[in-house]
Coordinates of all heavy atoms in Angstrom, one line a residue:
M23 N -56.6 57.8 -1.7 CA -57.1 59.1 -2.0 C -58.4 59.0 -2.9 O -58.4 58.2 -3.8 CB -56.1 60.0 -2.7 CG -55.9 61.2 -2.0 SD -54.6 62.4 -2.6 CE -54.0 61.8 -4.1
K24 N -59.3 59.8 -2.7 CA -60.5 59.8 -3.5 C -60.3 60.5 -4.8 O -59.4 61.4 -4.9 CB -61.7 60.4 -2.8 CG -62.2 59.6 -1.6 CD -63.4 60.3 -1.0 CE -63.9 59.5 0.2 NZ -65.0 60.2 0.9
R25 N -61.1 60.2 -5.8 CA -61.0 60.9 -7.1 C -61.3 62.3 -7.0 O -62.3 62.7 -6.3 CB -62.0 60.2 -8.0 CG -61.8 60.6 -9.5 CD -62.7 59.8 -10.3 NE -61.9 58.8 -11.1 CZ -62.4 58.0 -12.0 NH1 -63.7 58.0 -12.2 NH2 -61.7 57.2 -12.6
G26 N -60.5 63.2 -7.5 CA -60.7 64.6 -7.5 C -60.1 65.3 -6.3 O -60.1 66.5 -6.2
E27 N -59.5 64.6 -5.4 CA -58.8 65.2 -4.3 C -57.3 65.4 -4.6 O -56.7 64.5 -5.2 CB -58.9 64.4 -3.0 CG -60.2 64.4 -2.3 CD -60.2 63.6 -1.0 OE1 -59.1 63.3 -0.5 OE2 -61.3 63.3 -0.5
S28 N -56.8 66.5 -4.2 CA -55.3 66.7 -4.3 C -54.7 66.4 -3.0 O -55.3 66.4 -1.9 CB -55.0 68.1 -4.8 OG -55.4 69.0 -3.8
M29 N -53.4 66.3 -3.0 CA -52.6 65.9 -1.7 C -52.6 67.1 -0.8 O -52.5 67.0 0.4 CB -51.2 65.5 -2.0 CG -51.2 64.1 -2.7 SD -49.5 63.5 -2.8 CE -49.1 63.3 -1.2
G30 N -52.8 68.3 -1.3 CA -52.8 69.5 -0.5 C -54.1 69.8 0.3 O -54.1 70.5 1.3
E31 N -55.1 69.1 -0.1 CA -56.4 69.3 0.6 C -56.4 68.5 1.9 O -56.0 67.3 1.9 CB -57.6 68.9 -0.3 CG -57.8 69.8 -1.5 CD -58.9 69.3 -2.3 OE1 -59.8 68.6 -1.8 OE2 -58.9 69.6 -3.5
Q32 N -56.9 69.1 3.0 CA -57.1 68.4 4.2 C -58.5 68.5 4.7 O -59.1 69.5 4.6 CB -56.1 68.9 5.3 CG -54.7 68.7 4.9 CD -53.7 69.2 6.0 OE1 -54.2 69.9 6.9 NE2 -52.5 68.9 5.9
K33 N -59.0 67.4 5.4 CA -60.3 67.4 5.9 C -60.3 68.1 7.3 O -59.3 68.0 8.0 CB -60.8 66.0 6.1 CG -61.3 65.3 4.9 CD -61.9 64.0 5.3 CE -62.7 63.4 4.1 NZ -63.3 62.2 4.5
Q34 N -61.3 68.8 7.6 CA -61.5 69.4 8.9 C -61.9 68.3 9.9 O -62.8 67.5 9.7 CB -62.5 70.5 8.9 CG -62.1 71.7 8.3 CD -61.1 72.5 9.2 OE1 -60.7 72.0 10.2 NE2 -60.8 73.7 8.8
V35 N -61.2 68.2 11.0 CA -61.5 67.3 12.1 C -62.4 67.9 13.1 O -62.2 69.0 13.5 CB -60.2 66.8 12.8 CG1 -60.6 65.8 13.9 CG2 -59.3 66.1 11.8
K36 N -63.5 67.2 13.4 CA -64.5 67.8 14.3 C -63.9 67.9 15.7 O -63.1 67.0 16.1 CB -65.7 66.9 14.4 CG -66.5 66.8 13.2 CD -67.7 65.9 13.3 CE -68.5 65.8 12.1 NZ -69.6 64.9 12.2
P37 N -64.2 68.9 16.5 CA -63.6 69.1 17.8 C -64.0 67.9 18.7 O -63.2 67.6 19.6 CB -64.3 70.4 18.3 CG -64.8 71.1 17.1 CD -65.0 70.1 16.1
T38 N -65.2 67.3 18.6 CA -65.5 66.2 19.4 C -64.6 65.0 19.2 O -64.3 64.3 20.2 CB -67.0 65.8 19.2 OG1 -67.2 65.5 17.8 CG2 -68.0 66.9 19.6
I39 N -64.2 64.8 18.0 CA -63.2 63.7 17.7 C -61.9 64.0 18.4 O -61.3 63.1 19.0 CB -63.1 63.5 16.2 CG1 -64.4 63.0 15.6 CG2 -62.0 62.5 15.9 CD1 -64.4 62.9 14.1
S40 N -61.4 65.2 18.3 CA -60.2 65.6 18.9 C -60.2 65.4 20.4 O -59.3 64.9 21.1 CB -59.8 67.0 18.6 OG -59.6 67.2 17.2
I41 N -61.3 65.9 21.0 CA -61.5 65.8 22.5 C -61.5 64.3 22.9 O -61.0 63.9 23.9 CB -62.7 66.5 22.9 CG1 -62.5 68.0 22.8 CG2 -63.1 66.2 24.4 CD1 -63.7 68.9 23.0
G42 N -62.2 63.5 22.1 CA -62.3 62.1 22.4 C -61.0 61.4 22.3 O -60.6 60.6 23.2
I43 N -60.2 61.7 21.3 CA -58.8 61.1 21.2 C -58.0 61.5 22.4 O -57.2 60.7 23.0 CB -58.2 61.5 19.9 CG1 -58.9 60.8 18.7 CG2 -56.7 61.2 19.9 CD1 -58.5 61.3 17.4
M44 N -58.0 62.8 22.8 CA -57.3 63.3 24.0 C -57.7 62.6 25.2 O -56.9 62.3 26.1 CB -57.3 64.8 24.1 CG -56.5 65.5 23.0 SD -56.4 67.3 23.2 CE -58.1 67.8 22.7
A45 N -59.0 62.4 25.4 CA -59.5 61.7 26.6 C -59.0 60.3 26.7 O -58.6 59.8 27.8 CB -61.1 61.8 26.6
V46 N -59.0 59.6 25.6 CA -58.6 58.2 25.6 C -57.1 58.2 25.9 O -56.6 57.3 26.7 CB -58.9 57.5 24.2 CG1 -58.2 56.2 24.1 CG2 -60.4 57.3 24.1
C47 N -56.3 59.1 25.4 CA -54.9 59.1 25.7 C -54.6 59.5 27.1 O -53.7 59.0 27.7 CB -54.2 60.1 24.8 SG -54.2 59.6 23.0
S48 N -55.4 60.3 27.7 CA -55.2 60.7 29.1 C -55.5 59.6 30.0 O -55.0 59.5 31.1 CB -56.0 62.0 29.5 OG -57.4 61.6 29.4
I49 N -56.4 58.7 29.6 CA -56.6 57.5 30.5 C -55.4 56.6 30.6 O -55.1 56.2 31.7 CB -57.8 56.7 29.9 CG1 -59.1 57.4 30.1 CG2 -57.9 55.3 30.5 CD1 -60.3 56.8 29.4
G50 N -54.7 56.4 29.5 CA -53.4 55.7 29.5 C -52.4 56.4 30.4 O -51.7 55.7 31.2
M51 N -52.3 57.7 30.4 CA -51.4 58.4 31.2 C -51.8 58.3 32.7 O -50.9 58.3 33.5 CB -51.3 59.9 30.7 CG -50.6 60.0 29.4 SD -50.3 61.6 28.7 CE -51.3 62.7 29.7
A52 N -53.1 58.3 33.0 CA -53.5 58.2 34.3 C -53.1 56.9 35.0 O -52.8 56.8 36.1 CB -55.0 58.4 34.4
L53 N -53.2 55.8 34.2 CA -52.8 54.5 34.7 C -51.3 54.5 35.0 O -50.9 53.9 36.0 CB -53.1 53.4 33.7 CG -54.6 53.1 33.5 CD1 -54.8 52.2 32.4 CD2 -55.2 52.6 34.8
G54 N -50.5 55.2 34.2 CA -49.1 55.2 34.5 C -48.7 56.1 35.7 O -47.6 56.0 36.2
S55 N -49.6 56.9 36.2 CA -49.3 57.8 37.3 C -49.5 57.0 38.7 O -49.2 57.6 39.7 CB -50.3 59.0 37.3 OG -51.6 58.6 37.5
I56 N -49.8 55.8 38.7 CA -50.0 55.0 39.9 C -48.6 54.7 40.5 O -48.4 54.8 41.7 CB -50.8 53.7 39.7 CG1 -52.2 54.0 39.3 CG2 -50.8 52.9 40.9 CD1 -53.0 52.8 38.8
M57 N -47.6 54.4 39.7 CA -46.3 54.0 40.1 C -45.6 55.0 41.1 O -45.2 54.6 42.2 CB -45.4 53.7 38.9 CG -45.8 52.5 38.1 SD -45.5 51.0 39.1 CE -43.8 50.8 39.0
P58 N -45.6 56.3 40.8 CA -44.9 57.2 41.7 C -45.6 57.3 43.1 O -45.0 57.7 44.1 CB -44.9 58.5 41.0 CG -45.1 58.2 39.6 CD -45.9 56.9 39.6
A59 N -46.9 57.0 43.1 CA -47.7 57.1 44.3 C -47.5 56.0 45.3 O -47.9 56.0 46.4 CB -49.1 57.3 44.0
L60 N -46.9 54.9 44.8 CA -46.8 53.7 45.7 C -46.0 53.9 47.0 O -46.3 53.4 48.0 CB -46.1 52.5 44.9 CG -47.0 51.8 43.9 CD1 -46.3 50.7 43.2 CD2 -48.3 51.3 44.6
A61 N -44.9 54.7 46.9 CA -44.1 55.0 48.1 C -44.9 55.8 49.1 O -44.9 55.5 50.3 CB -42.9 55.8 47.7
K62 N -45.7 56.7 48.6 CA -46.6 57.5 49.5 C -47.7 56.6 50.1 O -48.0 56.7 51.3 CB -47.2 58.6 48.7 CG -47.8 59.7 49.5 CD -46.7 60.6 50.1 CE -47.3 61.9 50.4 NZ -46.4 62.7 51.2
I63 N -48.2 55.7 49.3 CA -49.2 54.8 49.8 C -48.6 53.9 50.9 O -49.3 53.6 51.9 CB -49.9 54.0 48.7 CG1 -50.7 54.9 47.8 CG2 -50.8 52.9 49.2 CD1 -51.1 54.3 46.5
Y64 N -47.4 53.4 50.6 CA -46.8 52.5 51.6 C -46.5 53.2 52.9 O -46.7 52.6 54.0 CB -45.5 51.9 51.0 CG -44.8 51.0 51.9 CD1 -45.4 49.8 52.3 CD2 -43.6 51.3 52.5 CE1 -44.8 48.9 53.2 CE2 -43.0 50.5 53.4 CZ -43.5 49.3 53.7 OH -42.9 48.4 54.6
S65 N -46.1 54.5 52.8 CA -45.8 55.2 54.1 C -47.1 55.5 54.9 O -47.0 55.6 56.1 CB -45.0 56.5 53.8 OG -45.8 57.4 53.0
S66 N -48.2 55.6 54.2 CA -49.5 55.8 54.8 C -50.0 54.6 55.5 O -50.8 54.7 56.5 CB -50.5 56.4 53.8 OG -50.1 57.6 53.3
Y67 N -49.7 53.4 55.0 CA -50.2 52.2 55.6 C -49.0 51.3 55.9 O -48.7 50.3 55.2 CB -51.1 51.4 54.5 CG -52.3 52.2 54.2 CD1 -52.3 52.9 53.0 CD2 -53.4 52.2 55.0 CE1 -53.5 53.7 52.7 CE2 -54.5 52.9 54.7 CZ -54.6 53.6 53.5 OH -55.7 54.3 53.1
P68 N -48.2 51.6 57.0 CA -47.1 50.8 57.3 C -47.4 49.4 57.8 O -46.5 48.5 57.7 CB -46.4 51.6 58.5 CG -47.5 52.4 59.0 CD -48.5 52.7 57.9
D69 N -48.6 49.1 58.2 CA -48.9 47.8 58.7 C -49.3 46.8 57.5 O -49.5 45.6 57.7 CB -50.0 47.8 59.7 CG -51.3 48.6 59.3 OD1 -51.1 49.5 58.4 OD2 -52.4 48.2 59.7
V70 N -49.5 47.4 56.3 CA -49.9 46.6 55.2 C -48.6 46.1 54.5 O -47.7 46.9 54.3 CB -50.8 47.4 54.2 CG1 -51.1 46.6 53.0 CG2 -52.0 47.9 54.9
P71 N -48.5 44.8 54.1 CA -47.3 44.3 53.4 C -47.1 45.0 52.1 O -48.0 45.4 51.4 CB -47.6 42.8 53.2 CG -48.7 42.5 54.1 CD -49.5 43.7 54.4
V72 N -45.8 45.1 51.7 CA -45.4 45.8 50.5 C -46.0 45.1 49.3 O -46.5 45.7 48.3 CB -43.9 45.9 50.4 CG1 -43.5 46.5 49.0 CG2 -43.3 46.6 51.5
T73 N -46.1 43.8 49.4 CA -46.7 43.0 48.3 C -48.2 43.3 48.0 O -48.6 43.4 46.9 CB -46.6 41.5 48.5 OG1 -47.1 41.2 49.8 CG2 -45.1 41.1 48.5
S74 N -48.9 43.6 49.1 CA -50.3 44.0 48.9 C -50.4 45.3 48.2 O -51.3 45.5 47.3 CB -51.0 44.1 50.2 OG -51.1 42.8 50.9
I75 N -49.5 46.2 48.5 CA -49.6 47.5 47.8 C -49.1 47.4 46.4 O -49.6 48.1 45.5 CB -48.7 48.6 48.7 CG1 -49.4 48.8 50.0 CG2 -48.6 49.9 47.9 CD1 -48.7 49.6 51.0
G76 N -48.2 46.5 46.2 CA -47.7 46.3 44.8 C -48.8 45.7 43.9 O -48.8 45.9 42.7
W77 N -49.7 45.0 44.5 CA -50.9 44.5 43.7 C -51.7 45.6 43.1 O -52.5 45.4 42.2 CB -51.7 43.5 44.6 CG -51.2 42.1 44.6 CD1 -50.5 41.5 45.6 CD2 -51.3 41.2 43.5 NE1 -50.2 40.3 45.2 CE2 -50.7 40.0 43.9 CE3 -51.8 41.2 42.2 CZ2 -50.6 38.9 43.1 CZ3 -51.8 40.1 41.4 CH2 -51.1 39.0 41.9
I78 N -51.7 46.8 43.7 CA -52.4 47.9 43.2 C -52.1 48.1 41.7 O -52.9 48.3 40.8 CB -52.2 49.2 44.0 CG1 -52.7 49.0 45.4 CG2 -52.8 50.4 43.3 CD1 -52.4 50.1 46.3
V79 N -50.8 48.1 41.4 CA -50.3 48.3 40.0 C -50.6 47.0 39.2 O -51.1 47.1 38.1 CB -48.8 48.7 40.0 CG1 -48.3 48.7 38.6 CG2 -48.6 50.0 40.7
S80 N -50.3 45.9 39.8 CA -50.4 44.6 39.0 C -51.8 44.4 38.6 O -52.1 44.0 37.5 CB -49.9 43.5 39.9 OG -48.6 43.6 40.2
I81 N -52.8 44.5 39.5 CA -54.2 44.3 39.2 C -54.7 45.2 38.1 O -55.4 44.8 37.2 CB -55.0 44.3 40.4 CG1 -54.8 43.1 41.3 CG2 -56.5 44.4 40.1 CD1 -55.4 43.2 42.7
S82 N -54.3 46.5 38.2 CA -54.8 47.4 37.2 C -54.2 47.1 35.8 O -54.9 47.2 34.8 CB -54.4 48.9 37.6 OG -53.0 49.1 37.5
Q83 N -52.9 46.6 35.8 CA -52.3 46.3 34.5 C -52.9 45.0 33.9 O -53.1 44.8 32.7 CB -50.8 46.1 34.6 CG -50.1 47.4 35.0 CD -50.4 48.5 34.0 OE1 -50.4 48.3 32.8 NE2 -50.5 49.7 34.5
I84 N -53.2 44.0 34.8 CA -53.8 42.7 34.4 C -55.2 43.0 33.8 O -55.6 42.5 32.7 CB -53.9 41.7 35.5 CG1 -52.5 41.3 35.8 CG2 -54.8 40.5 35.2 CD1 -52.4 40.5 37.1
V85 N -56.0 43.8 34.5 CA -57.3 44.2 34.0 C -57.2 44.9 32.6 O -58.0 44.7 31.7 CB -58.1 45.0 35.0 CG1 -59.4 45.6 34.4 CG2 -58.4 44.2 36.2
Q86 N -56.2 45.8 32.5 CA -56.0 46.5 31.3 C -55.7 45.6 30.1 O -56.2 45.7 29.0 CB -54.9 47.5 31.4 CG -54.7 48.4 30.2 CD -53.6 49.4 30.5 OE1 -52.9 49.4 31.5 NE2 -53.4 50.3 29.5
I87 N -54.9 44.6 30.3 CA -54.5 43.6 29.3 C -55.7 42.8 28.9 O -56.0 42.7 27.7 CB -53.4 42.7 29.8 CG1 -52.1 43.5 29.9 CG2 -53.2 41.5 28.8 CD1 -51.0 42.8 30.6
I88 N -56.5 42.3 29.8 CA -57.6 41.5 29.5 C -58.7 42.3 28.8 O -59.3 41.8 27.8 CB -58.2 40.8 30.8 CG1 -57.2 39.8 31.4 CG2 -59.5 40.1 30.6 CD1 -57.5 39.3 32.8
S89 N -59.0 43.5 29.3 CA -60.0 44.3 28.7 C -59.6 44.7 27.3 O -60.4 44.9 26.4 CB -60.4 45.5 29.6 OG -59.2 46.3 29.7
G90 N -58.3 45.0 27.1 CA -57.8 45.3 25.8 C -58.0 44.2 24.8 O -58.4 44.5 23.6
L91 N -57.8 43.0 25.2 CA -58.0 41.9 24.3 C -59.5 41.7 24.0 O -59.9 41.5 22.8 CB -57.5 40.6 24.9 CG -55.9 40.5 25.0 CD1 -55.5 39.3 25.8 CD2 -55.3 40.5 23.7
L92 N -60.3 41.9 25.0 CA -61.8 41.7 24.8 C -62.3 42.9 23.9 O -63.1 42.6 23.0 CB -62.5 41.7 26.1 CG -62.3 40.5 27.0 CD1 -63.0 40.7 28.3 CD2 -62.9 39.3 26.3
I93 N -61.9 44.1 24.2 CA -62.3 45.2 23.4 C -61.9 45.1 22.0 O -62.6 45.5 21.0 CB -61.9 46.5 24.1 CG1 -62.7 46.7 25.4 CG2 -62.1 47.7 23.2 CD1 -62.2 47.8 26.2
G94 N -60.7 44.6 21.8 CA -60.1 44.5 20.4 C -61.0 43.5 19.6 O -61.1 43.7 18.4
T95 N -61.5 42.5 20.2 CA -62.4 41.5 19.4 C -63.8 42.1 19.2 O -64.4 41.8 18.2 CB -62.4 40.2 20.1 OG1 -63.0 40.4 21.5 CG2 -61.1 39.5 20.2
V96 N -64.2 42.9 20.1 CA -65.6 43.4 20.1 C -65.7 44.7 19.2 O -66.7 44.9 18.5 CB -66.1 43.7 21.5 CG1 -67.4 44.5 21.5 CG2 -66.3 42.4 22.3
A97 N -64.6 45.5 19.2 CA -64.6 46.8 18.5 C -64.9 46.7 17.1 O -64.3 46.0 16.3 CB -63.3 47.5 18.7
G98 N -66.0 47.4 16.7 CA -66.3 47.4 15.3 C -67.2 46.3 14.8 O -68.0 46.4 13.9
R99 N -67.1 45.1 15.4 CA -67.9 44.0 15.0 C -69.3 44.0 15.6 O -70.3 43.9 14.9 CB -67.3 42.7 15.4 CG -66.1 42.3 14.6 CD -65.6 40.9 14.9 NE -64.2 40.7 14.6 CZ -63.5 39.7 15.0 NH1 -64.0 38.8 15.7 NH2 -62.3 39.7 14.6
F100 N -69.3 44.1 16.9 CA -70.6 44.1 17.6 C -71.1 45.4 18.2 O -72.2 45.7 18.4 CB -70.5 43.1 18.8 CG -70.0 41.7 18.4 CD1 -68.8 41.3 18.7 CD2 -70.8 40.9 17.6 CE1 -68.3 40.0 18.3 CE2 -70.4 39.7 17.2 CZ -69.2 39.2 17.6
V101 N -70.1 46.3 18.5 CA -70.4 47.6 19.1 C -69.6 48.6 18.3 O -68.5 48.4 17.9 CB -69.9 47.6 20.6 CG1 -70.2 48.9 21.2 CG2 -70.6 46.5 21.4
K102 N -70.3 49.8 18.1 CA -69.6 50.9 17.4 C -68.4 51.4 18.2 O -68.5 51.3 19.5 CB -70.6 52.0 17.2 CG -71.7 51.8 16.2 CD -72.5 53.0 16.1 CE -73.8 52.7 15.3 NZ -74.7 53.9 15.2
L103 N -67.4 51.9 17.6 CA -66.2 52.4 18.2 C -66.5 53.5 19.2 O -66.0 53.6 20.3 CB -65.2 52.8 17.2 CG -64.6 51.6 16.4 CD1 -63.6 52.2 15.3 CD2 -63.9 50.6 17.2
K104 N -67.4 54.4 18.8 CA -67.7 55.6 19.6 C -68.5 55.1 20.8 O -68.2 55.6 21.9 CB -68.6 56.5 18.8 CG -69.0 57.8 19.5 CD -69.8 58.7 18.6 CE -70.3 59.9 19.4 NZ -71.1 60.8 18.5
T105 N -69.4 54.2 20.7 CA -70.1 53.7 21.9 C -69.2 53.0 22.8 O -69.2 53.1 24.0 CB -71.2 52.7 21.4 OG1 -72.1 53.3 20.4 CG2 -72.1 52.2 22.6
L106 N -68.2 52.2 22.3 CA -67.3 51.5 23.1 C -66.4 52.5 23.8 O -66.1 52.2 25.0 CB -66.5 50.6 22.2 CG -65.7 49.5 22.8 CD1 -66.6 48.6 23.6 CD2 -65.0 48.6 21.8
A107 N -65.9 53.5 23.2 CA -65.1 54.5 23.8 C -65.8 55.2 25.0 O -65.3 55.5 26.1 CB -64.6 55.6 22.8
I108 N -67.1 55.5 24.8 CA -67.9 56.1 25.8 C -68.1 55.2 27.0 O -67.9 55.6 28.2 CB -69.3 56.6 25.3 CG1 -69.1 57.7 24.3 CG2 -70.2 57.0 26.4 CD1 -70.3 58.1 23.5
I109 N -68.4 53.9 26.7 CA -68.6 52.9 27.8 C -67.3 52.8 28.6 O -67.3 52.7 29.8 CB -69.0 51.5 27.2 CG1 -70.4 51.6 26.7 CG2 -68.9 50.4 28.3 CD1 -70.9 50.4 25.9
C110 N -66.1 52.7 27.9 CA -64.8 52.5 28.6 C -64.5 53.7 29.4 O -63.9 53.6 30.5 CB -63.8 52.2 27.6 SG -63.9 50.6 26.8
T111 N -64.8 54.9 28.9 CA -64.5 56.1 29.7 C -65.3 56.2 30.9 O -64.8 56.5 32.0 CB -64.7 57.4 28.8 OG1 -63.9 57.2 27.6 CG2 -64.4 58.6 29.5
V112 N -66.6 55.8 30.8 CA -67.5 55.8 32.0 C -67.0 54.8 33.0 O -67.0 55.1 34.2 CB -69.0 55.6 31.6 CG1 -69.8 55.3 32.8 CG2 -69.5 56.8 30.8
L113 N -66.6 53.6 32.6 CA -66.1 52.6 33.5 C -64.8 53.1 34.2 O -64.6 52.8 35.4 CB -65.9 51.3 32.8 CG -67.2 50.5 32.3 CD1 -66.8 49.3 31.5 CD2 -68.0 50.1 33.6
F114 N -64.0 53.8 33.4 CA -62.7 54.3 34.0 C -63.0 55.3 35.1 O -62.4 55.3 36.1 CB -61.9 54.9 32.9 CG -60.6 55.4 33.4 CD1 -59.5 54.5 33.7 CD2 -60.4 56.7 33.6 CE1 -58.3 55.0 34.2 CE2 -59.2 57.2 34.1 CZ -58.1 56.4 34.4
I115 N -64.0 56.2 34.8 CA -64.4 57.2 35.8 C -64.9 56.6 37.0 O -64.6 56.9 38.2 CB -65.3 58.2 35.2 CG1 -64.6 59.1 34.1 CG2 -66.0 59.1 36.2 CD1 -65.5 59.9 33.3
L116 N -65.8 55.6 36.9 CA -66.4 54.9 38.0 C -65.4 54.2 38.8 O -65.4 54.2 40.1 CB -67.5 53.9 37.5 CG -68.8 54.5 37.0 CD1 -69.7 53.5 36.4 CD2 -69.5 55.4 38.0
G117 N -64.5 53.5 38.1 CA -63.4 52.8 38.8 C -62.4 53.7 39.5 O -61.9 53.4 40.6
G118 N -62.2 54.9 38.9 CA -61.3 55.8 39.5 C -61.8 56.5 40.7 O -61.1 56.9 41.7
S119 N -63.2 56.7 40.7 CA -63.8 57.4 41.9 C -64.3 56.5 42.9 O -64.6 56.9 44.0 CB -65.0 58.3 41.3 OG -65.9 57.5 40.7
A120 N -64.3 55.2 42.7 CA -64.7 54.2 43.7 C -64.0 54.2 45.0 O -64.6 54.1 46.1 CB -64.7 52.8 43.1
P121 N -62.6 54.4 45.0 CA -61.9 54.5 46.3 C -62.4 55.6 47.2 O -62.2 55.5 48.4 CB -60.5 54.7 45.9 CG -60.4 54.1 44.5 CD -61.7 54.4 43.9
A122 N -63.0 56.6 46.7 CA -63.5 57.7 47.5 C -64.6 57.2 48.4 O -64.9 57.8 49.5 CB -64.0 58.9 46.7
F123 N -65.3 56.1 48.0 CA -66.4 55.6 48.8 C -66.1 54.4 49.6 O -66.9 53.8 50.3 CB -67.6 55.3 47.9 CG -68.0 56.5 47.0 CD1 -67.7 56.6 45.7 CD2 -68.7 57.5 47.6 CE1 -68.0 57.6 44.9 CE2 -69.0 58.6 46.8 CZ -68.7 58.7 45.5
I124 N -64.8 54.0 49.6 CA -64.4 52.8 50.4 C -63.9 53.3 51.7 O -63.0 54.1 51.8 CB -63.3 52.0 49.6 CG1 -63.8 51.5 48.3 CG2 -62.7 50.9 50.5 CD1 -62.8 50.8 47.4
P125 N -64.4 52.8 52.8 CA -64.1 53.3 54.1 C -62.6 53.0 54.6 O -62.0 53.7 55.3 CB -65.1 52.7 55.1 CG -65.6 51.5 54.4 CD -65.5 51.8 52.9
G126 N -62.1 51.8 54.2 CA -60.8 51.5 54.6 C -60.0 50.6 53.6 O -60.6 50.2 52.6
F127 N -58.8 50.4 53.9 CA -57.9 49.6 52.9 C -58.1 48.2 53.2 O -57.9 47.7 54.3 CB -56.5 50.1 53.0 CG -55.6 49.4 52.0 CD1 -55.8 49.6 50.7 CD2 -54.5 48.6 52.4 CE1 -54.9 49.0 49.7 CE2 -53.7 48.0 51.5 CZ -53.9 48.2 50.2

């Protein structure tokens, strides 16, 4: 606590910070939403092996682990946290919308 502050005083949080925190949390929830869709994906592609469809979840989680380790070492040292959050959100949006432009599985 800073000098002159009492425990009852609270700082106002900027709306942009709150929106940013909610956006980052929703990215994690979006990754978890892949699992229930696997059965539907498998029924849509019966000629594709189940293991290939299982890789959809595995690859996304492997990339998440590797990028988490890299971002953890870079965050704050070389790149500002706000800049890093923006870059990661843009990459997530690009990666999430990329399947719309892929003609086949």
Side-chain angles (χ1 to χ4, degrees):
M23 235 177 8
K24 291 182 182 178
R25 192 176 250 184
E27 284 185 14
S28 66
M29 289 187 67
E31 293 179 23
Q32 293 182 352
K33 284 186 166 182
Q34 284 286 9
V35 178
K36 294 181 181 178
T38 54
I39 292 174
S40 299
I41 291 170
I43 290 171
M44 288 187 283
V46 171
C47 292
S48 67
I49 289 173
M51 292 183 343
L53 289 173
S55 66
I56 295 172
M57 289 294 285
L60 283 180
K62 195 80 158 165
I63 293 170
Y64 180 67
S65 65
S66 297
Y67 297 100
D69 55 330
V70 177
V72 178
T73 53
S74 295
I75 295 173
W77 274 105
I78 294 171
V79 174
S80 300
I81 289 174
S82 67
Q83 297 300 323
I84 290 169
V85 170
Q86 184 179 7
I87 290 168
I88 293 170
S89 63
L91 293 171
L92 291 173
I93 290 171
T95 59
V96 170
R99 289 189 202 167
F100 307 109
V101 181
K102 292 181 188 177
L103 295 175
K104 182 178 178 180
T105 306
L106 198 58
I108 291 170
I109 291 170
C110 291
T111 304
V112 168
L113 289 175
F114 182 79
I115 291 169
L116 291 175
S119 60
F123 304 106
I124 297 174
F127 182 64

